[in-house]
Amino acid sequence: ADAALGAGGEVVGVIPRSMVEREWAHRELTELHVCDSMHERKALMAEHADAFVALPGGLGTLEEIFEVWSWRQLGFHAKPVGLLDADGFWTPLLDALRGIADSGFLPAATLDDLAVAPELPGLLAALEERLRNAPQPARGN
């Protein structure tokens, strides 16, 4: 958030009240929406997003990106989903996902639908291409 703000960008945050009470809120954002729960947070972010991107992160990042990716596969939205694979961070996960697809538990089209790039300009271009072409979500069997 600080880097985006420092570069003149806008940053919109969505945070549950319990995290604000723990003083985890970034008070210098362009906008800060405080909600009552993590479920409400995710719903609000999904509603306002044009696309979803996971930067290198931990368990919460994985949970959120897998949820919106599965929503796309199920046809709940048609917004593109991507991973910023900075320094190969997501490569082990992508290898595991390929193994899951090879085992028949993940349609290849669903995996191919995920935008992945090592640098932000390439990822943004892939997401913009998906937005321009308004692809239909990949649907599993």
Side-chain angles (χ1 to χ4, degrees), residues 12-82:
V12 178
V14 182
I15 188 169
R17 191 171 321 285
S18 63
M19 292 179 151
V20 173
E21 292 166 0
R22 293 179 188 170
E23 299 183 3
W24 291 352
H26 191 306
R27 300 289 183 174
E28 306 304 319
L29 302 181
T30 309
E31 293 179 42
L32 180 62
H33 300 272
V34 178
C35 55
D36 290 324
S37 69
M38 287 296 282
H39 294 293
E40 186 179 337
R41 174 183 180 265
K42 289 192 297 185
L44 187 59
M45 290 189 312
E47 178 183 331
H48 290 286
D50 294 323
F52 305 96
V53 172
L55 305 177
L59 190 58
T61 300
L62 286 169
E63 187 270 334
E64 290 180 347
I65 202 69
F66 274 108
E67 184 168 34
V68 295
W69 190 24
S70 65
W71 288 353
R72 179 172 166 77
Q73 179 188 10
L74 294 169
F76 295 164
H77 69 78
K79 299 171 182 182
V81 178

Side-chain angles (χ1 to χ4, degrees), residues 96-122:
L97 290 169
R98 283 186 205 79
I100 293 168
D102 291 346
S103 296
F105 292 102
L106 177 65
T110 299
L111 188 53
D112 292 342
D113 187 50
L114 184 66
V116 179
E119 296 180 358
L120 190 55

